[in-house]
Each structure stands twice: as C-alpha cells, then as structure tokens.
Amino acid sequence: MKERIVTLSLVLFVILLLLDLYTFKGVRLLTEGVEKASVRTVISTLYWLFSISVYVGLAWALLNYDQYRIPGQSHYFFTVNALVMMSLLSKLVFVLFHGMEDIGYFVTNIISKAFASGKVSEGGDAMSRGKFLTYVGAGLAAVPFGAIAYGMVKGRYDFRVVRKNLTFKNLPKAFDGLKVVQISDIHIGSFPQEHPSVQKAVEMVNQLDADVLLFTGDLVNNLADETTGWVEVLKQMKAKHGKYAILGNHDYGDYVPWTNTEDRRKNLDGVKQANRDMGFDLLLNENRILEKDGEQIALIGVENWGRPPFPQYGDLRKASEGTEQAPFRILMSHDPSHWDGEVLDTNIDLTLSGHTHGMQFGIEIPGVKWSPVKYKYPRWGGLYQEGKQFLYVNRGFGYHAIAGRIGMPPEITEITLKSEAEEKLLADQLS
C-alpha cells in the first residue's frame, strides 16, 4: 500500500512540476506589459512561493504517511490534499487556454511548411490572440482556486440546517409533528483540536429543540482516540425524547493495518463507548419502540451495510425483530446503498443515511442538483421517494480526505413528521 502511495505521489510531483513550468510561461506573458520590474518580480515570487509550498507539503505528507491516522495529524494531511487539488485544478484550467495558441501555432506551422511556400507569418495577431486566451485562462483558473480556498477557510465550517416536512398516512396521531433532527459523518478527527465550529454546530442542533436526535454513523476517521477532548463538547447535544446512534464504515477501524485482532476490538469498543459517553443510545442491529400517549413507532438501527468493498455488518432482519406490528418504522442505516439493496423490499417508512458527504463538492441551486458522487451513489444527498417509502441522505457534519467543502456545506437535518389524518382534519376545520 505504501509503495503505491509513494509511486502516485512521485507521479503527481512530476505532473505538478511540468504544469508549473508551463504555467509560469503564461504568467510571464501576462506580466510582460508591466513596466516596473519590481512588480513583475513580486508576481513571480508569489507564484513560486505558492507552488513550492505545495511541493513541501506533498513531500512532508509522503515522508510522514504512516502518521496520518494519528489523532491530531489528519487535519494537516487533509490540508495538503486540498492545496494539491487547488494547485492542480487551477493550473490545468490555465494551461488549457494558454496552450491553445501554442498548439494552434504548432499545427499551423506544420501545415504551412507541408502545403504552402514562403515564411509563416509571425505578426502581432498571433501574440495578441495568445495573450487574450491566456487572460481568459487566468480568469477561469481563479474559479477553482477561489472556490477551493473558500471551501478550506469557510466552507467546511459553514453549517446549514435543511428542513423537510414529510406526511404519512400511517403515522400515529400522537406522533404528528414529531421533530427528528439528524446528523451524520462527524469525522471528528478531521477537525483541528478545539476548533470552535464544532461547538457552534452543537448549539445549532440544540436551537432546533429536537424531539429525537439521530446520528447515522462515522464518529471518527479510524481511531477511538480521535474523540479525546471532544466528548464533552458533543455530549451537549440535546433531544427531548432521546438520542440514538449507529456505526458507520469508518467507525470499525477497517482502514487501519492492525497487527492483531485484539487491538482492533479495543478500538471498536472505544468508538462504541465514545458514542455512549456522548449520551447516545447506540443501536447495533437493534431497535427501540418509542411510545407517546399510548401509541408507538419503531426506531431501527443497523450496523454498516455497504456494497463491496464496504463490509456488510448490518443485519436488517435481526434489527427489525419485534417491530413487525409497529404502524410506523424509521430505519437508521449509514450507507444509502442499503435502501436499494434491502430496504425497499420491506415496509419501512423512512430511512435516514449519510456516508456520501455529497463528495464535499457539488452544485445545488434551484433547478440544478449535481455532485460527481452521483456516479457512484445515485442517491447521494437529500430526499428520495419510491412509492410510500422515503430515504433522506444527510450530506455530513464533518469532512474527510480533503480539508474543505465546495458548494456542499456541512448539514444538520430537521425532519418534521406529519400525520395525513391530522392534516386532513385541520383542512376540514379550516374549510
């Protein structure tokens, strides 16, 4: 595994270096009209300072690769990843336009020599066209550069509340108006230690005055020790009628090369205990019956169930035992693939998932909802419906791999359950 990482990093280093050399050619073209040599020097220096910082970061990450799982270290590795992405994408966009004139000139030169006599024109038009394209490239390159910079500095901490009202015929009258607040994919090891954004998000959760709070997995990136210093913050989240949690794929420590199974078991036990110390009732292929005014609904929680290569620890049949007579059932399942894989063959009314993070990158504006993750997970974010069954996929509380979120802010979900019978009664009274 490490050999593959080293190889990929070296290839990436070479690609970045070649991009830098060609991009700098464009930078010099853009600044050739600047009269003051000192200004040109400052621009060139800033360019290479940024590029060299990326190389230094990449080299540091490569030399310290074995430490990226250590609590408190993940943040630095993920920051390097974001800087590399920023450098790579912005320079690729720039080179795409800056290189058009060079490619065109090269092709024209070849054709002219092959089929025409006389010299190839080297007039000012080619240069002016090339400079114009280079300016266009610089302007467009600023888009990914600025977007990733924003995603790193603010986007990953810019929590939003997404509210949904769902109406069901079979929801018991006593639970009409039940406010379910969902969080998912905390990935607490990714946050800088004591970062105030976590406390801010906890306060946002509490302002919603939840009836029940449901956490759909991935408390950590890999290790239980990531929760050190955070349990007291996260346990402040409140709900009037209970807090419930399940495990996500990262919580099992499956991405760590354990030397023995006992260490892996202790780590998993530590993650489970951290959930409980935060005040969550951890459902491990289990269920709870929620009662109110003599009526009941079922809350089911499965362990992680994902399509290969993700493990399938979840046992929906075991988790659902005893809920068959419940008039309404809510399922917590970390991976939304489970909904199509098994859940649609049941009569579970509402499934809550996470896992995808919306890839931490996408576009969600009126009329447009897109993220590259859709090609892996067709149901990747927001609300989905098949017949009478609903799935909601939370876009995640934290972040992983890349220290940033671009167009895909961290999410706290508020779902209010409505009884169709109650809505009809109210409509009749108002008519």
Side-chain angles (χ1 to χ4, degrees), residues 73-94:
Q73 296 295 309
S74 298
H75 164 68
Y76 300 107
F77 286 89
F78 295 167
T79 299
V80 169
N81 290 346
L83 288 173
V84 170
M85 177 183 288
M86 177 191 293
S87 180
L88 184 62
L89 291 182
S90 58
K91 289 169 184 174
L92 279 173
V93 171
F94 180 79

Side-chain angles (χ1 to χ4, degrees), residues 170 172 174-175 289-298 325-328:
N170 55 321
F175 290 92
I289 301 299
L290 308 183
E291 296 190 16
K292 185 178 180 182
D293 297 339
E295 296 186 299
Q296 299 179 337
I297 62 173
Q325 302 306 313
F328 187 86

Side-chain angles (χ1 to χ4, degrees), residues 66-127:
D66 291 336
Q67 300 179 36
Y68 89 90
R69 296 187 184 92
I70 297 175
Q73 296 295 309
S74 298
H75 164 68
Y76 300 107
F77 286 89
F78 295 167
T79 299
V80 169
N81 290 346
L83 288 173
V84 170
M85 177 183 288
M86 177 191 293
S87 180
L88 184 62
L89 291 182
S90 58
K91 289 169 184 174
L92 279 173
V93 171
F94 180 79
V95 164
L96 177 65
F97 286 85
H98 173 60
M100 283 183 183
E101 180 63 23
D102 287 339
I103 294 172
Y105 181 79
F106 177 77
V107 172
T108 301
N109 195 22
I110 295 297
I111 293 175
S112 297
K113 285 183 177 181
F115 300 103
S117 60
K119 294 183 179 181
V120 177
S121 172
E122 295 181 359
D125 288 346
M127 179 59 71

Side-chain angles (χ1 to χ4, degrees), residues 144-188:
F145 188 94
I148 295 173
Y150 178 86
M152 292 174 64
V153 175
K154 184 172 175 59
R156 56 177 160 159
Y157 307 129
D158 190 20
F159 288 87
R160 67 171 177 173
V161 176
V162 177
R163 292 178 170 87
K164 297 290 181 182
N165 294 319
L166 299 181
T167 301
F168 300 88
K169 288 183 178 180
N170 55 321
L171 181 69
K173 177 181 176 181
F175 290 92
D176 179 65
L178 184 77
K179 186 184 292 184
V180 177
V181 172
Q182 180 199 8
I183 58 173
S184 193
D185 301 87
I186 293 177
H187 286 285
I188 198 62

Side-chain angles (χ1 to χ4, degrees), residues 368-383:
V368 179
K369 177 183 175 183
W370 178 85
S371 169
V373 77
K374 67 174 290 185
Y375 304 111
K376 170 72 173 175
Y377 295 96
R379 308 185 197 272
W380 59 269
L383 186 65

Side-chain angles (χ1 to χ4, degrees), residues 341-360:
E342 288 189 337
V343 179
L344 285 176
D345 293 329
T346 72
N347 63 349
I348 289 172
D349 300 280
L350 173 62
T351 301
L352 301 178
S353 298
H355 183 60
T356 72
H357 303 200
M359 203 174 172
Q360 296 167 213

